Amino acid sequence: LSPQPLAMSEHQSEEFQQIEKLYDFSERLNASKDKSQNVEDYEGIIKMSKTSMKAKQLASQLIPRYFKFFPTLSTDAFDAHIDCIDDGELGVRVQAIRGLPLFCKDSPDIISKIVDVLVQLLNTEEPVERDAVHKALMSLIRQDPKASLTALFTHAGVTPTTDDQIREKVLNFIRDKVFPIKAELLKPQEEMERHITDLIKQSLEDVTGGEFKMFMDFLTSLSIFGGKAAQERMQELVEIIEGQADLNAQFDVSDTDHIDRFISCLPLALPFYARGAPTSRFLNYLNNHIIPVFDKLPEERKLDLLKALADISPYTTAQEARQMLPSIVQLLKKYMPAKKTAEEMNFTYVECLLYAFHHLAHKVPNATNSLCGYKIVTGQPSDRLGEDFSELNKDFTERLTTVEDLTKTTMKKLTQGMSEHNKAMSAAKTDEEKANVASRLTSFCFFSWWYLKTKKQNTTTGLRTCNNILAMTKPLHAKVPSFIGDTNMNLSWKEATKPLASAATTTTIGGKRPANSNNGSGNSGAAKKRRGSNGMPNQLVNKAFEGISSYGGGRGGNRSQGRRGGGGRRGRGRGRGHW
């Protein structure tokens, strides 16, 4: 016989003997009425876990099975099991991982320790090993949801020693494995929903925009924040969002991350404002810190801010509306030209500001007397009817007229341009002829179909913007104007939706504040800036409807998906990067 087969035979014989010993240890332990007396058998199992591969696999099953009977050997037993988890053989590691939940069946006090071990193993690249880790964690969570989730969420937050890669794996596990089966895990429901809410709040000290939205989406799916939840619950969610918006921080116009954070957080709060949560903190910060330096904001974020302002305006109180109206009227006049000039008017800016103006004025109509020269009588001293504001009224009315003229001209050009293009496309019979029509629209776009589709969508949105502007300027010409007080108007950057409140499009002075409202708004899509309009009749449209999609325009678009990095957040941990 050659030496090699002989060595293999001896190894197999030795491994067989080790397995036999392990079975003997296990049989004696099973048969024993007082297992704590079988110390030598358990010590034998621990010793065998340091021998051959198959012996390690079997020992990885037996060590946790009898662990509770030998507290004096707990350290040796656990260390031996961890050695198996660190073994070079995948089969040994997987078997040892599967055995980890068994340690906790009769020793719940060590759940935290076992979760910590499993969390470190989430970083494995081996699919089989990773699957075993996931199943082991889920087994622990099902055994004791409260203790296991508490331990797991300690790795979801940020500390000076946090490993970003492992933290990301934990967040992915929570999102993909825990959240989808919350109904099964969170029992008793109210107690456990309250507990996981507290865990999430503790994990929000330093998160990215994407992580924050993930947590907020989960919280809003819980029954304690459902449709029948008390207003206090809505206030709790709003306070979480306000904390992420850094409303206690001094505003720095050069801090683009803070601007993005504010703009991204505001839409998340809108559904809760619609259900009665107060808007005062967001509005006060906006009015006192951001609007006064609006001109200094990055160009790509101005429109996003105005959209956010338009969205929140229906939920203001009368006091908040009175405080904000002067700033809004001042901005409105800035973007509503007094006379027709060569300077282009930004139609979407005007749409946002007119919408906000209507909703604020609807709450405090007589505040427009001193701001726009109206003569609205409410019987209050704030009517200021004895003062002459005729020049203000003349100026405001002229600006409204100029806006209407520019809007009608632009609508005509948009309609004409689209009509001419449609006719040319209809007349084109072959693909080559259609490509020629497309090339006349743009010489730089290689993806003509996509470009034409986008062009048509933008034209449709532009027409919606114009129609909205005209619908909002018309009732403002009267000496006693009517102000829009509902949310039936479909703003141009939003998908068409059915209004939640059935009310007239314009509400006369004294109408009631609506109980429901359309709160649909988004911050996920990056705004598509117009690159030019070779085929349009006039270049006026180029910038006028810039950024007509949802929040996130320009270079700052979709920052909420950015990963973590250095800096970016003042006084909020290590700084998880841009939103």
Side-chain angles (χ1 to χ4, degrees):
L1 292 174
S2 64
Q4 187 174 4
L6 183 62
M8 290 180 62
S9 177
E10 289 176 355
H11 172 74
Q12 290 172 347
S13 175
E14 184 180 3
E15 187 175 59
F16 179 78
Q17 292 174 10
Q18 293 164 355
I19 298 295
E20 283 290 307
K21 284 184 179 181
L22 282 169
Y23 278 120
D24 289 341
F25 295 146
S26 180
E27 286 176 3
R28 284 197 292 270
L29 280 164
N30 276 334
S32 175
K33 292 184 179 180
D34 183 2
K35 294 178 175 54
S36 62
Q37 300 301 313
N38 296 62
V39 175
E40 291 184 2
D41 290 324
Y42 195 62
E43 287 178 332
I45 293 172
I46 295 173
K47 183 178 179 181
M48 288 297 106
S49 72
K50 304 178 187 298
T51 55
S52 65
M53 183 185 73
K54 290 185 178 179
K56 289 177 182 179
Q57 288 178 295
L58 181 55
S60 295
Q61 299 177 50
L62 300 178
I63 288 174
R65 183 182 299 176
Y66 303 110
F67 179 77
K68 66 177 180 178
F69 300 109
F70 304 97
T72 58
L73 295 175
S74 60
T75 300
D76 291 341
F78 195 75
D79 287 347
H81 199 88
I82 294 298
D83 287 341
C84 291
I85 288 174
D86 291 333
D87 196 81
E89 290 289 340
L90 177 62
V92 174
R93 297 200 304 271
V94 169
Q95 189 60 60
I97 290 167
R98 289 172 178 167
L100 281 173
L102 298 176
F103 281 100
C104 308
K105 278 198 170 182
D106 299 293
S107 305
D109 54 307
I110 65 169
I111 281 182
S112 176
K113 186 174 183 178
I114 301 299
V115 169
D116 289 345
V117 172
L118 287 168
V119 162
Q120 300 305 313
L121 297 173
L122 282 171
N123 217 21
T124 179
E125 297 299 326
E126 290 286 349
V128 176
E129 191 173 3
R130 184 169 58 247
D131 182 63
V133 173
H134 287 175
K135 288 179 177 177
L137 278 171
M138 291 308 300
S139 176
L140 286 174
I141 293 171
R142 287 186 170 95
Q143 280 182 42
D144 191 333
K146 193 169 187 176
S148 299
L149 289 174
T150 300
L152 186 62
F153 268 89
T154 61
H155 300 275
V158 177
T159 67
T161 59
T162 296
D163 183 319
D164 279 359
Q165 194 171 12
I166 289 178
R167 177 179 176 274
E168 185 174 354
K169 299 286 187 183
V170 170
L171 291 177
N172 290 341
F173 176 80
I174 291 171
R175 179 196 64 203
D176 299 335
K177 303 294 183 180
V178 177
F179 285 175
I181 58 171
K182 63 179 185 294
E184 173 190 344
L185 300 178
L186 303 183
K187 295 178 181 178
Q189 187 179 51
E190 185 171 354
E191 175 189 337
M192 283 303 299
E193 286 189 353
R194 182 70 264 167
H195 181 66
I196 200 169
T197 297
D198 293 338
L199 292 176
I200 288 173
K201 289 166 73 172
Q202 294 166 17
S203 304
L204 295 177
E205 178 62 25
D206 205 353
V207 292
T208 66
E211 292 164 358
F212 182 64
K213 188 175 185 304
M214 174 192 76
F215 282 128
M216 288 305 300
D217 287 345
F218 175 73
L219 289 178
T220 55
S221 74
L222 299 178
S223 63
I224 60 172
F225 299 112
K228 296 181 179 180
Q231 186 173 332
E232 291 76 18
R233 301 286 198 193
M234 299 302 99
Q235 177 64 22
E236 180 180 0
L237 292 176
V238 166
E239 287 174 357
I240 293 172
I241 297 169
E242 289 172 346
Q244 284 297 308
D246 281 355
L247 299 186
N248 291 325
Q250 181 64 37
F251 183 70
D252 179 359
V253 73
S254 65
D255 187 351
T256 56
D257 185 66
H258 192 192
I259 297 169
D260 290 343
R261 189 175 299 278
F262 182 90
I263 293 171
S264 299
C265 284
L266 185 49
L268 296 177
L270 290 176
F272 314 122
Y273 294 148
R275 292 171 62 182
T279 60
S280 54
R281 287 201 67 202
F282 261 109
L283 286 170
N284 288 339
Y285 198 87
L286 182 65
N287 195 42
N288 297 331
H289 299 281
I290 301 181
I291 291 181
V293 293
F294 184 81
D295 287 346
K296 297 179 182 179
L297 293 176
E299 288 297 322
E300 68 270 18
R301 306 311 277 157
K302 286 181 179 179
L303 180 58
D304 294 333
L305 184 67
L306 291 179
K307 288 176 180 178
L309 172 64
D311 279 332
I312 197 174
S313 61
Y315 311 114
T316 54
T317 64
Q319 182 180 356
E320 293 162 351
R322 192 175 294 278
Q323 291 173 349
M324 289 200 69
L325 257 178
S327 301
I328 300 306
V329 171
Q330 186 177 356
L331 268 183
L332 191 54
K333 287 182 178 181
K334 176 178 174 62
Y335 292 104
M336 290 199 314
K339 297 178 181 179
K340 291 183 181 179
T341 62
E343 185 179 351
E344 297 169 354
M345 183 180 83
N346 193 309
F347 289 81
T348 317
Y349 279 26
V350 173
E351 179 190 15
C352 293
L353 288 165
L354 278 173
Y355 188 82
F357 171 77
H358 268 277
H359 279 281
L360 298 177
H362 177 76
K363 307 293 193 328
V364 283
N366 66 348
T368 62
N369 291 357
S370 60
L371 297 172
C372 309
Y374 292 128
K375 294 183 179 180
I376 297 172
V377 180
T378 64
Q380 301 297 319
S382 53
D383 289 349
R384 301 177 66 176
L385 296 177
E387 301 178 54
D388 184 9
F389 298 115
S390 56
E391 287 300 316
L392 286 176
N393 184 256
K394 180 182 178 183
D395 176 69
F396 194 70
T397 303
E398 286 178 355
R399 292 178 186 275
L400 289 173
T401 301
T402 301
V403 167
E404 288 170 333
D405 291 343
L406 289 172
T407 302
K408 289 173 183 177
T409 300
T410 300
M411 287 182 73
K412 183 178 179 181
K413 291 175 180 177
L414 285 169
T415 305
Q416 179 185 348
M418 185 54 67
S419 176
E420 290 175 357
H421 168 69
N422 288 340
K423 286 179 181 178
M425 289 298 287
S426 298
K429 302 300 182 184
T430 66
D431 290 342
E432 184 178 356
E433 290 174 345
K434 291 179 180 180
N436 288 336
V437 173
S439 66
R440 289 199 295 272
L441 272 175
T442 172
S443 60
F444 57 82
C445 183
F446 295 101
F447 304 101
S448 299
W449 176 85
W450 174 87
Y451 179 81
L452 295 175
K453 182 179 179 182
T454 304
K455 196 80 164 171
K456 186 174 181 179
Q457 290 173 342
N458 293 342
T459 301
T460 302
T461 305
L463 288 171
R464 279 169 54 191
T465 300
C466 291
N467 282 320
N468 285 344
I469 289 173
L470 294 178
M472 289 187 284
T473 56
K474 184 178 179 180
L476 299 180
H477 283 286
K479 288 185 178 180
V480 182
S482 57
F483 300 115
I484 296 173
D486 57 46
T487 56
N488 290 345
M489 178 171 287
N490 185 29
L491 294 168
S492 62
W493 62 89
K494 296 185 178 183
E495 295 293 329
T497 54
K498 294 181 180 180
L500 296 180
S502 57
T505 301
T506 55
T507 307
T508 55
I509 295 164
K512 293 182 178 179
R513 182 179 181 180
N516 297 313
S517 58
N518 175 8
N519 53 58
S521 62
N523 68 334
S524 60
K528 300 169 184 173
K529 290 198 172 187
R530 310 301 152 245
R531 298 188 175 185
S533 294
N534 295 351
M536 298 303 289
N538 193 293
Q539 291 185 349
L540 175 67
V541 182
N542 290 6
K543 294 182 181 178
F545 297 102
E546 201 166 59
I548 52 182
S549 64
S550 195
Y551 296 157
R555 290 179 289 119
N558 208 24
R559 295 189 183 190
S560 62
Q561 303 306 315
R563 287 308 309 147
R564 299 179 294 279
R569 293 187 69 184
R570 304 159 314 289
R572 298 184 64 83
R574 295 161 57 205
R576 312 305 292 177
H578 293 299
W579 265 50

